[in-house]
Amino acid sequence: MKVPINKGANANYFVSLIPFALGIWSRSRNYQHKQVIKIFCFLLQLLCIVIVFKSNARLAYVCLTLSLGFYFYQVVLSVQHKLKVNKTFLWIVTAIFLIVMMYSLYHINTASVQGRFLIYTISLDIFKQNPFFGCGLGRFESVYNLYQAEYFRTHVTSVATQFLAGDTFEPFNELLRILIELGLCGVLFFILIVRIFYLFLKKQEHLSVLQYGALGSLLSISISALLSYPFSLLSIQLNAIFFLSVLTANERQMSVTFLSRSSSKFTLMFFFFIATVLSVGFAYRKIRSCLYWEKASLLALEGNFSEADKLYFKAWPSMQYNGRFLTNYGSEMVIAGKTKQGVECLERASKFLPSTGLYLCLGEGYAAIGNYGRAQIAYETALHMTPSRFMSRYRLLKLQLAKHNIVEAKKIAEQILAYPVKIPSSDVTEIKQFSKKLLVSENNTGH
């Protein structure tokens, strides 16, 4: 089962490596194998730059430009040159450069930028419901799509705005994530941490080139955090922790008092060993469950659900809180005829990762067991989550026909024919043709 790579997130990761690699390259003269290190750093930077430009990620270009500009100003320029530079003038030039760059990048893909603003608008609605303590750590993906459905249900919006909506699981702004998940208290705590870190750096008499490289890398991650979601990725989280450790390390004074005692060494090694064993055990169970899930989903696609169900069951203990797993398992149960169990699984999934696809499958399950009322609610929720998708309207149309509600079915068919197509496909063509035939047939019969 192939996992698609997010080019933007991938580019943000590689951009964060470049300033620190420059720092290592600049300091390599102090190392024993300096030529080997220089060649390695050069190749790493070249690889990162190629990947960034191949990704066509607009935000990565901004991060790369600003982080390298910061590094060169701090490391390459001499003290005499820095004194000649008017800092006010430098800030003005930087601001103008940012405005020009952001304006240019905006016009490369205006729909993407407008989509972000829609996400921010709906995200603020979530914040208004829980302003002080937020909706809970890590719960953005559990609530956002439901708020989006409510937004389109209660607001009159243009088709252009509806085209911007899709299943969203990230806020595309890490500060906004803190505000939504932890509220104003979380934001104040975050500001306090940043303030403490800033004061710590200010007290440092001198930073090494390696530390300036780490600071440039952190600057890159911080900029990407304003318009993306770098801290959702473990690789960037680890990078950020490592760069912070480099910045806070004191190269001139390293206390070894604690480690000089054999008892302290033993205690530290013991806890490290326990932590390693627990981490490896957890990772092993997680990987094994993912492999069970992958094999199960492939078997289900081949129509062999009886064997797939055994593997889904083995994966369940580690994956029972994973919304994607629950959605996949529940939908396959509905398709295989285990409708009641499938509906229960999908209802559980809706608490962790609500999405358009989930509510379409849930509607199918409810309809199969004859609960047309809940089926209609599920289909309408899917429709409001992503109004531009035709499948939600089509399922509602079929549901009304199953209920023999011809008048309502005709209204939905008319809406399908009148609604513009965002992305042409054979499915959309068939849905529109079905709606047209239904209207022609019912008009000929005089209904």
Side-chain angles (χ1 to χ4, degrees):
M1 186 163 49
K2 294 182 179 179
V3 178
I5 296 174
N6 186 310
K7 290 184 178 180
N10 201 35
N12 290 337
Y13 170 76
F14 284 101
V15 167
S16 73
L17 297 177
I18 294 173
F20 188 70
L22 267 175
I24 297 176
W25 186 86
S26 300
R27 199 170 180 269
S28 60
R29 62 180 179 272
N30 299 330
Y31 300 132
Q32 184 177 358
H33 305 288
K34 59 182 179 181
Q35 292 302 326
V36 176
I37 293 172
K38 278 191 172 183
I39 293 171
F40 172 77
C41 289
F42 173 78
L43 292 176
L44 176 61
Q45 291 171 68
L46 183 63
L47 174 66
C48 291
I49 290 170
V50 169
I51 291 173
V52 168
F53 281 95
K54 276 280 192 182
S55 70
N56 292 320
R58 297 160 296 163
L59 180 59
Y61 300 158
V62 177
C63 296
L64 178 64
T65 305
L66 292 179
S67 60
L68 287 182
F70 168 82
Y71 180 83
F72 282 116
Y73 175 79
Q74 295 291 353
V75 176
V76 177
L77 283 183
S78 64
V79 176
Q80 291 78 11
H81 282 99
K82 286 181 184 177
L83 291 173
K84 293 177 182 179
V85 176
N86 187 302
K87 288 189 176 181
T88 304
F89 176 75
L90 183 64
W91 278 108
I92 293 172
V93 171
T94 304
I96 293 172
F97 170 77
L98 274 175
I99 292 169
V100 172
M101 178 172 279
M102 295 302 289
Y103 179 81
S104 302
L105 294 176
Y106 169 79
H107 285 280
I108 292 175
N109 189 348
T110 55
S112 174
V113 178
Q114 290 168 358
R116 300 281 174 91
F117 283 121
L118 176 65
I119 292 170
Y120 299 156
T121 300
I122 297 170
S123 296
L124 289 175
D125 288 339
I126 305 175
F127 164 70
K128 291 174 185 176
Q129 295 294 320
N130 310 276
F132 296 107
F133 301 104
C135 64
L137 184 63
R139 283 190 50 79
F140 177 88
E141 65 179 16
S142 302
V143 300
Y144 176 85
N145 286 323
L146 295 175
Y147 275 86
Q148 180 166 282
E150 183 64 15
Y151 177 84
F152 283 108
R153 189 183 70 82
T154 57
H155 291 73
V156 177
T157 55
S158 65
V159 173
T161 302
Q162 293 172 12
F163 277 6
L164 300 174
D167 287 327
T168 301
F169 306 108
E170 300 291 346
F172 292 92
N173 185 299
E174 295 292 2
L175 190 59
L176 184 61
R177 184 199 300 277
I178 296 172
L179 186 65
I180 293 167
E181 295 184 353
L182 301 176
L184 290 172
C185 292
V187 171
L188 290 174
F189 182 74
F190 173 75
I191 292 172
L192 177 63
I193 296 297
V194 172
R195 175 68 176 170
I196 292 171
F197 181 69
Y198 170 75
L199 293 174
F200 172 82
L201 287 180
K202 202 172 180 181
K203 288 180 180 178
Q204 301 299 306
E205 295 179 4
H206 175 72
L207 293 178
S208 67
V209 291
L210 195 64
Q211 289 175 312
Y212 275 123
L215 196 56
S217 293
L218 283 173
L219 176 64
S220 169
I221 295 172
S222 300
I223 295 167
S224 68
L226 296 176
L227 293 168
S228 187
Y229 46 94
F231 293 108
S232 291
L233 307 176
L234 179 61
S235 56
I236 296 183
Q237 290 176 15
L238 294 175
N239 272 7
I241 293 170
F242 175 73
F243 297 143
L244 285 170
S245 67
V246 171
L247 275 173
T248 54
N250 191 327
E251 294 185 330
R252 293 174 298 173
Q253 298 177 354
M254 292 189 178
S255 176
V256 293
T257 306
F258 177 76
L259 292 178
S260 63
R261 300 175 183 176
S262 58
S263 60
S264 299
K265 286 182 181 179
F266 176 78
T267 303
L268 186 63
M269 290 179 65
F270 175 76
F271 280 111
F272 179 76
F273 174 75
I274 295 297
T276 302
V277 169
L278 292 174
S279 299
V280 170
F282 175 79
Y284 171 75
R285 289 191 297 273
K286 199 75 174 177
I287 292 171
R288 184 181 59 181
S289 296
C290 286
L291 291 173
Y292 284 146
W293 178 16
E294 182 179 14
K295 291 177 182 178
S297 62
L298 291 174
L299 286 170
L301 283 173
E302 294 169 0
N304 189 0
F305 183 77
S306 58
E307 290 299 316
D309 197 19
K310 298 175 184 177
L311 294 174
Y312 277 124
F313 184 77
K314 288 182 178 180
W316 178 270
S318 296
M319 309 297 285
Q320 59 181 306
Y321 302 107
N322 186 309
R324 290 175 177 83
F325 169 80
L326 294 170
T327 300
N328 174 241
Y329 189 18
S331 60
E332 292 297 347
M333 280 196 280
V334 170
I335 293 170
K338 299 179 71 173
T339 312
K340 186 176 179 182
Q341 298 94 317
V343 166
E344 290 174 355
C345 188
L346 290 170
E347 287 175 338
R348 180 179 175 83
S350 67
K351 298 176 183 177
F352 299 103
L353 199 74
S355 65
T356 306
L358 184 152
Y359 277 94
L360 286 174
C361 292
L362 195 54
E364 285 290 286
Y366 284 137
I369 60 177
N371 194 335
Y372 292 146
R374 286 198 173 186
Q376 182 164 338
I377 292 172
Y379 288 146
E380 287 175 348
T381 301
L383 173 62
H384 293 309
M385 274 187 187
T386 50
S388 62
R389 288 185 63 173
F390 280 83
M391 187 55 68
S392 305
R393 287 186 172 85
Y394 177 67
R395 295 281 176 84
L396 277 170
L397 173 59
K398 298 285 282 186
L399 181 67
Q400 297 304 329
L401 290 175
K403 293 164 63 177
H404 304 291
N405 191 343
I406 303 302
V407 175
E408 193 62 32
K410 288 173 65 177
K411 288 181 182 178
I412 298 172
E414 290 169 354
Q415 291 172 5
I416 290 173
L417 291 174
Y419 199 84
V421 178
K422 179 182 177 181
I423 302 174
S425 68
S426 57
D427 287 341
V428 173
T429 301
E430 289 177 9
I431 289 171
K432 281 187 172 283
Q433 287 176 350
F434 179 86
S435 301
K436 188 175 182 179
K437 287 179 181 178
L438 174 67
L439 288 174
V440 170
S441 173
E442 291 303 322
N443 287 335
N444 288 338
T445 57
H447 288 141

